[in-house]
Structure formats: C-alpha cells, structure tokens
Amino acid sequence: MIQTENISAGEKTMLGRPTWWKETVVYQVYWRSFFDTNGDGIGDLRGVIEKLDYIRSLGVDFIWLNPFNESPGVDNGYDISDYYAVAPEAGTMADVDRLIEEAHRRGLKIMMDIVLNHTSDRHPWFLASRSSKDDPKRDWYIWRDPAPDGGPPTNWRSYFHPSCWRFDEATGQYYMHSFAIGQPDLNWANPEVRQAMYRMLRFWLDKGVDGLRLDALALLAKPETFTDAADPYDIRYLTHNPGLHDYLQEMNREVFRHYNIMTVGEVAFATPELGVLFVDEERRELNSLFHFEVADEMPAWDMVRFKRIQRRWADALRGRGVMGQFLNNHDHTRQVTRYGNDREYRVQSAKLLATMIHTLPGIPYVYQGEELGMTGVRFASIDDYRDVMMKSRYEEEVGRGRSPEEVLRELQPLSRDNSRTPMQWNAGRNAGFSAGEPWIRPNPNHTAINVEEAEADPDSVLHYYRKLIALRKEHPVMVYGDFEDISGDDPHVYAYVRKHGDTAWIVVLNHSDAPGAFELPEPYAGKTMQLVLGNYADADKLLRAGKLELRPHEARILSCVI
Ligand code: TEU
Ligand code: CA
C-alpha cells in the first residue's frame, strides 16, 4: 500500500481522509466472456481462478465480478432468480468460496455486483406476487391498475422497451419493469423487501466479499405520483426520487458500516450536486459512485465537455467524497474505439486514455481487455448480437417500418456487445477463450491483439498499464493530490496538475491525430521537470522547460518540486 508518512493523521486531501479503498485500482471481470474452462462456450468462475495470476500481474487490487447468481439470463445475469445460488454456467458455491480464498491468497479483493432494483420474473418472490392480489408478496413489486382505456398506467418507457409496464392476465394489473420484461422492479417502500435485501448482503459479506458494486441504484425509489411524463423518452423520472437516500442510509446502518468494505453505486443521471449526496462521508451512505455524464451522455469524444465534467465533479467532491473513473464497462463500447483512435494510433491512444483515467482524481477501473487496447466490433448480422437492449431497440425501430440495414448500422456503434466479445488471450481458435462454441463471436482482430502478443512486446498497452498501476502504489500524489485543470478550453490538449505536499505532477495529453503543443503556465514554466511516464519512447529528449511539443495521442506525466 501507499507510503502515507507524509500524510498526517486526520488530514483532509482531495479524496478526504486517507483510507485503503481510496488507493485501489479495480479490474472488472465480465466472467461470461473471460475464460471458459469446460468448453460450454461460456466463461466461468473457474476460468477467473485460473487467470488470477494474470490479473495480479497487472498490479490491481480489486476484481469486480458481474453478477453470477442463478438467473434465466434474459439480461446476462442482471435478472436474478435466486440471490443465494450460483448460476450453473458460472459454477458452484464451492467455486465462489475457492475464488475468494485464492484471490485473498494473492492479495486481491473481490467486489460483487448486487442487483437491488429488480429480480427475475422467475424469482419465487415474483411468482408469489403475481399469483394473486391478496398474496403476502403482492406488495413486494410495483402493481397498478390499467389506465381507463385499458392501456398501461403511465406513458413511461423502460431502458430496454417502449413501456415499463407489462400487463399480467392472471390479476388484470400491470407490473413495472425499468429494464427487461423479465426484470420486474421491487417495491423498496416495503420494509420487508429492504430487510430481505440486507439479509442477502450480509450473507455474501460474511463469506468474505470485500466490496459491492450496487446496480441501478438511482432507481430504487419510485416516483411519488404515477402520472404521464411530458417527454417519455427523457427517462430521468425513473431516477432520484424521494426516499432513495433514506434507503441508502438505512442500508449503511444495517449492513455497510459493520464491514470493512468498499461500496460503489451505479448512479444514472447523477450530476455533481446529486452525486455528492451519495458519497459525502458525513452522510454515511456509499463510499463512491459511478456517474454517467460521460458514458451515457457523451456519445463521441468532446474534450471541452469532458474537461468541464471533470472540473465540476472535482469541485463538488473535493475533500468530501470519491468517484470511480472509467470510460467503458460491460454496458459501453470500448474506449479506444468510442473515444480514441482504434486504427493507426490504437496503441498510443489506448495508453493516453489509460494515463488520463489513472491520473484524474478518483478510483480507476479497468475493464477486461482494455489493458490490451481491445476494440469494439461490428457483426454483419443482427443474429450475431446477443444483447437484449440492442435486440429490443432493433425490433422497435424495424417495427416502425425502417430499413433493417439502416437500424443495424445505427445501433452498432453503441451496442453493449462491443465490450462483451471474448477476452483475447491468444491468436488461436476463439482467441483462446474457449475450446467450444463461444456464446458470442470473438472479435476477428484477436489474431493481432491478444495477451500473448502483448506480453512479448515491451511497448504494448499491457506493459504500460502495469507501469501506470504500479505508480499509484508509490506516489500518494496520484491518489490524494489536489486537482487543477491548467489547459482551459483547448479542444485537444488536456493538462492538469495533481499537487500533494511539495510534489506536483503535471499530466499533459494530446488527444488528437495531429501534433500539438502546450505551454506550461507559472509557476511550473521554469521548473526542472522529471518524466514520470510517457507513451512515446523518447519523451524525455523533448523535455524543454516551458513549452512541450506533443506528437499525436502523446501522453506525459511530469513531476516537479514546488
Ligand atoms: O445498468 C444500468 C443502466 O441503465 C445502463 O444500461 C446505463 O447505460 C448506464 O450505464 C447507467 O445509466 C445496469 C447494468 O450495468 C446493466 O448491465 C444491466 O442491464 C442493468 O443495470 C439492469 O440490471
Ligand atoms: Ca464454461
């Protein structure tokens, strides 16, 4: 862990008081696409165990595993039918226990992905709830009468479908599903539901799980009144409703504070003003959050907008709370394809984006394969896609009479399957992911982009990630340093300072296919600079005081004493 000798006890830093979980780097394992050990074409927990040494070699501290509970798999495991059972395709409870043990033996921690907002429609709770209006579990979900015309109670959309309401013949009412039809929303206003969830959380934490990633958290509390939205497409009405923070404070009292864990909330539509309510240490709700001002709201790279987002969040959270830093995950297209250059500058671009995410204030997340510079994918046919969100949007649009080819082309760039193709281990069959028929096709570029190649190439993206992650263990400035943007609204060059004690790190990034330049402002211009890390081999030769010439997608971390 970090050398904290020059951080005095109780000192407030950019990230508040120094604590172990603020110093971690998280590696996300979408186990279904990671490594298949039994040839059924689906990655599994034993596959994660087999690759623990690889994960450890990256220098990360935490493994976030996407949900592995029993599930019919409508939404790749986010539709859970038994919170206490392990999905057979993932493995067994014994595999989970061994994974936790083997991870701990290597100094790695395990973060579970917890789905609190909804269950599967096959969960026994929902089967009971839908069985009759008088069932004791009726009120565990959100049921409403049809509108006077027999249609859905409101015009609200779901994330995946044109309506969040599904009519249920048996009792003549509609149930609410914010996501797929097979994912009915729980009624968090019911204290029995909340207690059932707290029990489930304790069960997993008592097993030795070290962290929780809390899914779709902003949706737990439902709107106060069930009336039509002015614009049903603007689904913010599903989120941040009254009562949400009461639930989170109760959850903290009942569960979180009794364990030495790290929590991170997936908080859709969080602005800095809303976000601080979740993570302000004094409020005792969550340790940290993901906001989606980038991933959900910035379809293509926009440097000026990105800088503004980072400044606003840094100002809102300074000394009060912590956020996760990421540009991609299992729901969002791979960063080098979506936000960088995945062609002639793929390697430099992947390294630049990594440099940025690991030096901005917050906890960096690495999504499996990102450390290779893995790219997005374009399958020729809708039949090659697996994602429920993409498929239902495709049906909706084609159902409107639009051309299937056009709809496919429109949905491809942001399809969630871009990031769900198998991890690329080698150039061989199925990228070395599986000896069987993979559940989703591998990206054809695995012949060039894969772990084996990257291990052999000293300039690979992989080796760069190792250096970057190792830096965090030695330099408190990288974690706790204050943050100041010194590049204004330059549309290509991003430059900022992290400052801690008498150390200043200056990060300069030229996010562009063209060369660029950056002039260091006072008081840095005249200082002697050391190169901490750069993504071009001879960056130190170009280290002139005052002005930095930058090559396409060049990233440099400089250090000086102030
Ligand atoms: O995602 C929530 C979600 O709404 C995302 O689709 C959205 O793009 C964003 O990242 C948050 O605003 C979570 C899971 O990550 C996703 O895989 C599930 O499908 C979904 O919840 C339902 O459980
Ligand atoms: Ca398998």
Side-chain angles (χ1 to χ4, degrees), residues 75 78 118 159 213 215 266 268 292 296 330-332 416:
D75 186 21
Y78 283 90
H118 44 267
Y159 269 84
R213 181 267 189 189
D215 184 65
E266 190 209 29
F292 291 89
D296 277 351
H330 65 294
D331 292 331
H332 298 282
R416 305 196 297 181

Side-chain angles (χ1 to χ4, degrees), residues 30 64 66 75 78-79 113 115 118 159-160 179 183 213 215-216 219 266-269 292 295-296 326 329-332 388-389 416 420:
Y30 197 69
W64 154 21
N66 288 91
D75 186 21
Y78 283 90
D79 48 321
D113 198 326
V115 187
H118 44 267
Y159 269 84
F160 301 164
F179 295 92
Q183 290 170 302
R213 181 267 189 189
D215 184 65
L219 287 85
E266 190 209 29
V267 188
F269 300 113
F292 291 89
D296 277 351
F326 71 102
N329 61 29
H330 65 294
D331 292 331
H332 298 282
V388 60
M389 177 160 167
R416 305 196 297 181
R420 297 178 178 184

Side-chain angles (χ1 to χ4, degrees), residues 6-52:
N6 37 12
I7 301 174
S8 52
E11 184 189 331
K12 278 272 198 167
T13 71
M14 182 76 203
L15 299 194
R17 283 182 198 82
T19 313
W20 66 268
W21 55 263
K22 297 178 183 174
E23 300 167 7
T24 60
V25 175
V26 185
Y27 186 74
Q28 183 188 351
V29 173
Y30 197 69
W31 54 268
R32 187 179 304 275
S33 300
F34 196 58
F35 189 59
D36 172 23
T37 56
N38 64 351
D40 67 354
I42 307 173
D44 40 56
L45 297 176
R46 289 185 180 202
V48 184
I49 296 172
E50 269 191 43
K51 298 293 185 184
L52 280 175

